[in-house]
Amino acid sequence: MKRVFFGLAVIAAFFCVSCMTSQPVSVQRVSSDTVVDLSGYWNDTDVRIVANSIVDECVNSGAIANYIKKNGKEPIVIVGTIKNESDEHLDTSILAKKFEAALINSGMVDFVASSSERDEIREERTEQQLWASEDTAKRLANETAADFMLIGSVKTIVDSIAGKSTRTYFVYAELVDIESNKKLWVGENSEIKKVINRSSTRR
């Protein structure tokens, strides 16, 4: 009898798995700038809004204008660490890359490789001293140094009651003079605020 029950259990489990795996999957392609907010958490639209807003404010700040006026050229900028101080998991490297792209495309600053990228480039340059021809090998200790570093953080405030909540994201950015450690500009974006309603199912 036990064998019969075991056999029936195996058949039932196989049937359930078959039903689950045979369900059709629907995929809809949308434009990359389409706002799709499924969970109410941080998403690609938020990254795009914040990066464009903060960088636009930064490159049009007095710090950049004063540097150009004093030196007759655009400052060289690098993006440093963007800290995640929110209550959820955020890949801040995506936000950092968006900052880089927006800064470069603004035409208001020059840009150099990040610290992690420099390690790879330095390794290549060192190998060139051994294996490349003398007239094509790139010189050591001839890098262009950055004048300013853009650093920042992402924070959240959450308020909730009875299945309804609001999530407000605060993104801060600071432009720091690398030589003097002076903070030349501080920006904040708090445009990202979401009201989330989660329906409860009762049996």
Side-chain angles (χ1 to χ4, degrees), residues 30-196:
V30 297
S31 173
S32 59
D33 59 356
T34 302
V35 177
V36 179
D37 219 329
L38 300 178
S39 66
Y41 291 104
W42 182 262
N43 59 34
D44 61 315
T45 301
D46 304 327
V47 172
R48 184 169 61 250
I49 292 172
V50 166
N52 291 338
S53 172
I54 284 184
V55 169
D56 182 66
E57 185 181 342
C58 178
V59 297
N60 289 291
S61 67
I64 301 295
N66 291 338
Y67 183 93
I68 295 174
K69 183 179 179 179
K70 181 179 178 180
N71 298 277
K73 62 177 182 178
E74 292 81 12
I76 299 169
V77 180
I78 189 171
V79 173
T81 302
I82 309 298
K83 296 180 180 179
N84 176 19
E85 298 178 351
S86 72
D87 69 325
E88 63 185 85
H89 172 72
L90 300 179
D91 187 350
T92 54
S93 66
I94 298 175
L95 184 57
K97 279 297 180 184
K98 285 289 186 181
F99 279 155
E100 287 187 15
L103 284 166
I104 293 171
N105 294 336
S106 73
M108 297 294 290
V109 301
D110 284 333
F111 214 84
V112 291
S114 66
S115 57
S116 59
E117 293 167 335
R118 288 199 301 271
D119 290 339
E120 184 176 359
I121 296 168
R122 285 169 181 166
E123 183 179 351
E124 168 61 23
R125 195 158 50 237
T126 300
E127 289 187 0
Q128 286 186 6
Q129 311 309 308
L130 297 173
W131 306 108
S133 61
E134 187 175 340
D135 58 330
T136 62
K138 301 304 177 283
R139 289 182 292 165
L140 297 174
N142 195 43
E143 297 180 10
T144 299
D147 301 301
F148 303 148
M149 177 180 286
L150 185 71
I151 58 177
S153 61
V154 182
K155 305 175 187 289
T156 51
I157 291 180
V158 180
D159 187 21
S160 61
I161 187 172
K164 186 174 183 178
S165 62
T166 60
R167 300 186 64 81
T168 306
Y169 294 86
F170 296 85
V171 182
Y172 300 93
E174 300 174 352
L175 192 66
V176 182
D177 186 304
I178 292 178
E179 186 171 28
S180 66
N181 283 340
K182 289 182 179 179
K183 292 185 179 181
L184 305 176
W185 168 85
V186 176
E188 174 193 332
N189 183 293
S190 57
E191 296 178 13
I192 310 300
K193 186 169 186 176
K194 306 181 183 185
V195 178
I196 307 160

